Amino acid sequence: MMARTFRLIATSALLTALAVLASASMSAQGKPAAGAAPAPQAGPARTARDWATAPNSERTYKVKLDFNRWHDVAELQADMRTLEKAYPKFLKYISLGKTVGGRDIAAMIVNNPDTGADTAKPAMYIEANIHGNEIQGGEVCLYTIWYLMEHYGRIDAITRLVDERAFYIVPTINPDGRDYFMRGPGGNARTGHMPVDDDNDYQFDEDGPEDLNGNGVIEQIRKYVPGQGTHRKSAADPRVLEPVKPGETGDYVLLGQEGVDHDGDGRIGEDGLGSYDPNRNYPADWQPNYVQGGAMDYPFQLPEAQAVNAFLLAHPNVAGLQTYHNSGGMILRSPGAEQTGEYPASDVRVYDEIGRNGERILPYYRYLVIWSGLYTVHGGVTDWGNDTLGILSLSNELWSGGQYFNSPELKEQQKDPESPIAPRVASYFFNDYLEFGDQFTDWKPFTHPQFGDVEIGGSFRKTFGRVPPRFMNEELCHRNMAFSLYQADEMPRMSIGDTKVERLADGIFKVWVDLVNDKIAPTILAKAAMNNVVPPDLLTIDGKGVEVLSASWVPSKWRPAVAPMIDQKDLKRIMIRNGQAGRSTRTVQYLLKGAGSFTVKYASVKGGTAQKIIALQ
Ligand SMILES: [Ca+2]
Ligand SMILES: [Ca+2]
Ligand SMILES: [Ca+2]
Ligand SMILES: [Ca+2]
Ligand SMILES: [Zn+2]
């Protein structure tokens, strides 16, 4: 695996390194330096010429991608193909299925085949953009694939992670919504594209918002009605339209969002494309539309949710899930609704540790429970993942408004309502001084076919607010990736620890085997064990003529005590329904009859497989 990496940097770097080595080997000590990177020499100082030819300390990347802009679906998929082509051994581009609009839900499998099939390893599933307008998770996913590949063999922790784990990465599970957002003016893009009659007039998607002035933004419409309006220009900033106090009159009335009333029902934009919530269609505490709008008619009605579920069911080795949303700066876990009840304490401890470290990895993000920290969600994918698939499931709300003015001093200043960065006007300040006015569309006169002379404007572009400024996106990608890689690293990892054999009589042996899970997450979440949704871990003995007379759990390796017998029918195949806790070692004690050697194996669907050959002597 090292060979592959060195080849990447070899061509030019090695030649220059060899040149440096040649001069270094003639130093006073005459000590030949080892490896491609010359160690600091105690001999004469290097000459300027040496430094001029020394290899550059900065790494160059094999594949260059942009992380300071937003990719439409075709661009995302093209970049995924480029990465697959550059790293064919590790990457496999697949489609999870088709959307309502006929687009592929493209996914990447990241796996090192030299260390086993992806399905044999604990896997981290990362998806994004279920809400079509929440786009930057797509770039985080792309960055993650890119980063893992570019740093494999260069950074030990990344090499180990790629060798030990598999990754399934889906940059957008709502490509219909993403493209509609990217190419259109950005309005109404949260939904997928299953037609829905939003206003109950028996017509579907008949009257959506429209970009009448063609500037790529769905703006507001206002009419100037001096002394008769409900709104007026703010004294703090004339671009801000504020409602007047009760009893006062203003100069403007707001007439709604940009568009035309096509069906003459007196409303504009009342029934656009689709219009439901794709993250309310999973059968975990699913509730019908009259309880929660946007849930559709029945769970798994949407092909996108079906495709994600089919993939997860076919990959029971998935032990971690992240679904990226925006915005608000949150690390969210389920339950989505109070009524489903809190998770078992041992699961909560696992989530809490990962979430709190997440807050350190992601400044301005808070670790919260969905129903209590955000709002109630019935039928969301994290509930489905945790409760029904037994996957430790998290959802990051990418980008926090606190990051615009990100120092304690500026935070303090924002408490002053007269400050130019007070919350009411902060966006305008940022637009003026950091974006050079590019993100705000000011009010402009417009002749509306139905309202006559009006003004439209007063809106920020679709790329402002929910997504970071482009120049801040690489940090967002990196920090969120780092958090997901941390979660991936803390998925269960089983190994066989110490073993001991004691001969009691001819052909009779006592054998102790330590079973180790050194990561935070258990092999089976307590909730999953309760719901009986993950197959039990299996502890097996395989050896010709080796017979298990008894097996027991040793309460403590260090304090002799009665070891409770394991009361199962087939002691060569012990089922462990609750799995193994995180950061724990358990010792199993066997009484065996036989000779030669045998294999002890611990096979966990989500914790991987570990085995060891033990000789009976
Ligand atoms: Ca309708
Ligand atoms: Ca509709
Ligand atoms: Ca417009
Ligand atoms: Ca209408
Ligand atoms: Zn969302």
Side-chain angles (χ1 to χ4, degrees):
M1 60 200 177
M2 295 307 283
R4 185 194 67 88
T5 311
F6 278 125
R7 209 167 54 236
L8 300 180
I9 54 167
T11 31
S12 64
L14 194 62
L15 288 175
T16 46
L18 284 173
V20 173
L21 282 175
S23 62
S25 67
M26 288 183 286
S27 65
Q29 286 83 358
K31 200 168 65 186
Q41 298 293 312
R46 285 191 179 181
T47 65
R49 202 191 126 270
D50 290 337
W51 288 115
T53 54
N56 193 316
S57 65
E58 190 60 282
R59 291 157 175 161
T60 55
Y61 294 117
K62 187 172 178 184
V63 178
K64 290 190 173 57
L65 302 178
D66 305 325
F67 296 106
N68 62 353
R69 71 179 187 91
W70 316 118
H71 300 69
D72 70 14
V73 175
E75 289 171 329
L76 270 182
Q77 295 182 353
D79 282 353
M80 289 166 76
R81 297 276 196 198
T82 302
L83 286 165
E84 187 199 30
K85 221 170 168 180
Y87 298 99
K89 177 178 156 186
F90 290 80
L91 300 183
K92 190 159 185 261
Y93 177 102
I94 59 166
S95 170
L96 303 192
K98 295 274 186 193
T99 64
V100 171
R103 288 177 182 81
D104 274 314
I105 304 170
M108 193 73 96
I109 299 176
V110 182
N111 179 55
N112 181 2
D114 292 345
T115 56
D118 60 286
T119 47
K121 297 169 191 164
M124 180 77 198
Y125 169 85
I126 305 171
E127 63 166 41
N129 202 193
I130 186 168
H131 294 138
N133 58 333
E134 301 178 3
I135 52 170
Q136 72 266 47
E139 277 72 22
V140 180
C141 285
L142 190 64
Y143 184 87
T144 304
I145 304 167
W146 173 83
Y147 190 91
L148 287 175
M149 289 299 97
E150 292 286 346
H151 298 89
Y152 183 89
R154 289 176 166 178
I155 298 178
D156 289 347
I158 298 298
T159 308
R160 184 179 54 74
L161 210 52
V162 172
D163 286 347
E164 288 180 359
R165 312 301 197 178
F167 294 86
Y168 305 124
I169 302 178
V170 198
T172 171
I173 60 168
N174 183 1
D176 293 351
R178 186 183 186 89
D179 260 1
Y180 187 66
F181 178 85
M182 296 292 302
R183 294 173 184 199
N188 213 35
R190 179 179 174 88
T191 173
H193 289 182
M194 182 87 82
V196 168
D197 175 17
D198 298 281
D199 60 337
N200 294 318
D201 65 352
Y202 303 103
Q203 294 184 66
F204 289 72
D205 301 354
E206 78 283 356
D207 200 1
E210 264 176 294
D211 180 17
L212 299 176
N213 61 357
N215 68 345
V217 189
I218 296 292
E219 291 145 283
Q220 310 174 73
I221 306 176
R222 75 179 184 191
K223 199 169 178 72
Y224 183 56
V225 286
Q228 303 170 65
T230 54
H231 287 70
R232 67 171 163 231
K233 287 180 182 176
S234 165
D237 190 320
R239 293 171 294 183
V240 181
L241 197 65
E242 59 185 21
V244 294
K245 293 194 184 93
E248 294 177 14
T249 54
D251 299 324
Y252 293 95
V253 282
L254 277 170
L255 296 174
Q257 60 183 334
E258 194 178 352
V260 174
D261 178 13
H262 286 285
D263 60 350
D265 68 349
R267 294 197 283 165
I268 289 176
E270 77 280 3
D271 192 353
L273 209 54
S275 200
Y276 49 87
D277 192 323
N279 194 36
R280 303 292 185 272
N281 198 231
Y282 288 83
D285 182 39
W286 181 86
Q287 300 290 331
N289 256 317
Y290 62 84
V291 176
Q292 175 180 257
M296 299 300 288
D297 305 316
Y298 52 90
F300 281 148
Q301 186 174 359
L302 302 170
E304 295 87 354
Q306 286 175 32
V308 166
N309 184 53
F311 181 82
L312 290 174
L313 285 180
H315 295 81
N317 56 315
V318 172
L321 178 152
Q322 166 62 243
T323 176
Y324 291 123
H325 286 245
N326 77 24
S327 60
M330 300 173 211
I331 300 162
L332 295 166
R333 71 159 168 96
S334 287
E338 184 175 17
Q339 72 211 43
T340 55
E342 179 57 299
Y343 289 150
S346 62
D347 291 352
V348 169
R349 275 197 298 274
V350 172
Y351 275 112
D352 284 357
E353 182 169 354
I354 292 175
R356 288 187 186 132
N357 266 329
E359 289 179 336
R360 299 179 180 110
I361 296 169
L362 288 157
Y364 303 101
Y365 288 49
R366 286 166 307 145
Y367 163 64
L368 298 165
V369 176
I370 293 172
W371 75 263
S372 58
L374 180 65
Y375 41 64
T376 295
V377 174
H378 305 286
V381 73
T382 51
D383 282 75
W384 179 244
N386 185 87
D387 299 4
T388 316
L389 302 175
I391 302 168
L392 193 100
S393 302
L394 290 165
S395 178
N396 285 12
E397 293 284 355
L398 306 174
W399 179 246
S400 159
Q403 294 175 263
Y404 284 115
F405 301 100
N406 53 7
S407 70
E409 291 80 3
L410 291 179
K411 292 268 171 292
E412 195 53 39
Q413 216 186 92
Q414 288 191 294
K415 289 179 185 161
D416 172 8
E418 300 305 314
S419 164
I421 57 169
R424 195 166 44 129
V425 289
S427 298
Y428 296 88
F429 185 96
F430 196 91
N431 172 67
D432 294 344
Y433 293 97
L434 277 302
E435 300 274 14
F436 306 97
D438 183 49
Q439 293 295 320
F440 180 76
T441 57
D442 212 346
W443 296 98
K444 284 190 186 70
F446 185 78
T447 307
H448 189 275
Q450 287 158 334
F451 301 143
D453 285 339
V454 292
E455 290 171 50
I456 57 178
S459 303
F460 284 86
R461 285 187 191 282
K462 62 189 176 185
T463 46
F464 189 87
R466 300 187 71 103
V467 297
R470 285 165 50 151
F471 71 90
M472 294 175 86
N473 193 49
E474 187 157 344
E475 178 177 356
L476 181 148
C477 287
H478 189 88
R479 284 185 182 274
N480 281 279
M481 174 199 72
F483 173 64
S484 287
L485 296 188
Y486 164 63
Q487 186 191 345
D489 194 30
E490 292 301 346
M491 295 189 296
R493 178 174 68 177
M494 287 304 300
S495 62
I496 307 287
D498 292 346
T499 59
K500 200 173 109 187
V501 178
E502 190 185 313
R503 186 179 163 277
L504 299 182
D506 235 14
I508 304 288
F509 297 89
K510 222 173 180 180
V511 176
W512 291 268
V513 179
D514 280 0
L515 308 170
V516 183
N517 173 15
D518 64 336
K519 296 299 184 176
I520 294 174
T523 59
I524 301 177
L525 289 169
K527 180 79 172 181
M530 261 168 65
N531 291 353
N532 205 14
V533 290
V534 172
D537 292 352
L538 287 179
L539 177 62
T540 56
I541 293 276
D542 186 20
K544 222 178 159 193
V546 174
E547 207 183 308
V548 182
L549 301 177
S550 77
S552 27
W553 291 118
V554 176
S556 165
K557 252 176 96 168
W558 316 113
R559 196 174 341 118
V562 176
M565 303 268 268
I566 297 171
D567 183 17
Q568 288 193 23
K569 207 169 170 183
D570 182 0
L571 292 176
K572 289 186 107 172
R573 186 178 177 279
I574 296 167
M575 288 187 284
I576 305 168
R577 295 197 176 277
N578 294 327
Q580 179 151 344
R583 288 204 197 107
S584 73
T585 299
R586 294 179 93 184
T587 306
V588 63
Q589 174 192 295
Y590 286 108
L591 196 60
L592 298 180
K593 193 177 156 189
S597 67
F598 68 94
T599 302
V600 61
K601 180 160 127 183
Y602 192 100
S604 166
V605 169
K606 299 198 187 297
T609 297
Q611 55 189 7
K612 203 168 190 174
I613 296 169
I614 298 174
L616 289 173
Q617 58 191 20

